[in-house]
Amino acid sequence: MGKLYVIGSINMDVVSSVSQFPLPGETIHSSGTSFFPGGKGANQAVAAAMAGAECAMIGAVGRDPFGDTLVSSLEDRGVEVKSVLAKEGTSGMAIITVNEEGENHIVLSAGANGQLTEADVQAEVRFEDVYAVLLQNEIPWETNVAVIQSASAAGVRVWLNPAPARALPPSLFPLLDTLILNETEAAAVSGVKVEDPMTAELAAGKLLGLGTENVIVTLGEQGCFYANRRGERITVPAYRVKPVDTTAAGDTFIGAYAAASSGGMATEAALRFAAAAAALTVTRPGAQASIPSKQEIELFLEKQPASAH
């Protein structure tokens, strides 16, 4: 099993629970507000570590009261944190509203995440014995591009989750081993409207044609679709659960899949493992606090017959 590097965002999630989302200009009451360590990068690192991978986080927090809490949350869940830097100013924050159906609205404030530079990453990264580098879009894009180029040049797999969604320059696709996207992100990157496994296959085909080796499109309740340049196609249904909070479901899928893949699990089994991890996550509130352990995922899978998807 090789090491995973997650280079990305670390946020404090400020979560308010509401019966329904407010209309523009409307003031509504929340039934409660909670603070949960989150951030796409940090969530993916926690999910990978909880699922059994050796995982190091490279990112930044602010010199504010949240900073130590965010680092401790990572460390307590098995993530290596020696490359988490402290920057002047505030930590990243996500202001999240969750409705009764478990759906969420999220407003991001970059904070220290916006100060993570190419030089910061170069000073911390050692590519020896690294299975893959995981990236997202919550740190400066210039930093991501530099990491993609240097990791690819070193022969290290680069996995990109382009969230929040943005178009990618054509020159980057051949440098990416794996693109992992949800429906919205797949549409933004490929130009193909994605609504189901059939349209996911169309979007994946376009992205593979641009040079990426593997594409995974997550489809929420419709499961996920995988394709690679060798012609392999896999559709994995979602596990049926009652959602409480969908925050971090996608990040959990990515981290769990990375852990399973780095541990040598076959692709379809790794996708099912990741789908189970995501299913467990949505049954619990919060981001990192909701991410299951490897043992919990395996126990969940043991109790799920094929017909339960």
Side-chain angles (χ1 to χ4, degrees):
M1 177 182 287
K3 187 174 186 177
L4 296 172
Y5 270 127
V6 179
I7 302 172
S9 58
I10 306 170
N11 293 332
M12 180 60 77
D13 293 349
V14 183
V15 182
S16 286
S17 300
V18 297
S19 58
Q20 59 186 19
F21 297 126
L23 299 172
E26 181 184 16
T27 299
I28 62 173
H29 288 285
S30 166
S31 61
T33 299
S34 303
F35 296 85
F36 297 106
K40 284 190 172 297
N43 294 344
Q44 291 175 22
V46 166
M50 294 281 285
E54 180 186 359
C55 184
M57 180 79 212
I58 300 174
V61 296
R63 299 185 188 276
D64 61 1
F66 289 143
D68 289 343
T69 300
L70 293 170
V71 174
S72 295
S73 179
L74 289 166
E75 192 168 27
D76 291 348
R77 289 168 171 82
V79 178
E80 182 185 301
V81 296
K82 64 183 180 182
S83 296
V84 176
L85 310 175
K87 300 281 190 177
E88 293 300 328
T90 63
S91 299
M93 282 191 285
I95 312 303
I96 303 175
T97 307
V98 181
N99 69 10
E100 290 179 341
E101 286 72 47
E103 299 171 326
N104 59 53
H105 285 174
I106 303 175
V107 178
L108 286 175
S109 174
N113 298 311
Q115 301 180 53
L116 189 68
T117 66
E118 175 186 352
D120 290 333
V121 176
Q122 287 179 339
E124 300 296 331
V125 169
R126 300 292 181 271
F127 284 129
E128 297 84 2
D129 301 320
V130 174
Y131 178 79
V133 172
L134 277 63
L135 298 165
Q136 319 78 35
N137 280 348
E138 290 183 347
I139 60 174
W141 178 241
E142 297 77 14
T143 303
N144 269 350
V145 171
V147 173
I148 291 168
Q149 292 171 338
S150 59
S152 178
V156 173
R157 298 173 183 85
V158 178
W159 292 17
L160 175 64
N161 169 223
R166 61 165 294 156
L168 304 179
S171 60
L172 283 188
F173 288 96
L175 307 182
L176 301 175
D177 177 83
T178 303
L179 263 172
I180 307 179
L181 326 87
N182 66 16
E183 304 101 308
T184 302
E185 295 146 12
V189 176
S190 72
V192 176
K193 186 176 182 180
V194 176
E195 300 175 312
D196 51 33
M198 184 178 298
T199 49
E201 183 169 6
L202 293 175
K206 186 171 181 179
L207 299 173
L208 294 170
L210 291 168
T212 299
E213 288 295 322
N214 306 274
V215 175
I216 301 171
V217 182
T218 58
L219 298 163
E221 294 179 352
Q222 297 184 74
C224 66
F225 175 81
Y226 166 89
N228 63 31
R229 286 171 62 84
R230 300 182 301 279
E232 188 176 8
R233 303 289 186 267
I234 300 171
T235 301
V236 171
Y239 293 94
R240 289 198 288 266
V241 294
K242 182 174 175 55
V244 171
D245 181 359
T246 58
T247 305
D251 296 329
T252 300
F253 180 98
I254 292 167
Y257 179 78
S261 181
S262 70
M265 194 179 292
T267 300
E268 184 167 353
L271 291 168
R272 293 189 183 280
F273 181 85
L280 283 168
T281 295
V282 304
T283 66
R284 306 166 178 176
Q288 291 166 32
S290 70
I291 295 172
S293 67
K294 181 180 181 180
Q295 292 74 21
E296 289 175 314
I297 299 166
E298 291 172 341
L299 183 60
F300 179 87
L301 285 169
E302 287 177 6
K303 294 179 178 180
Q304 298 293 324
S307 60
H309 292 59

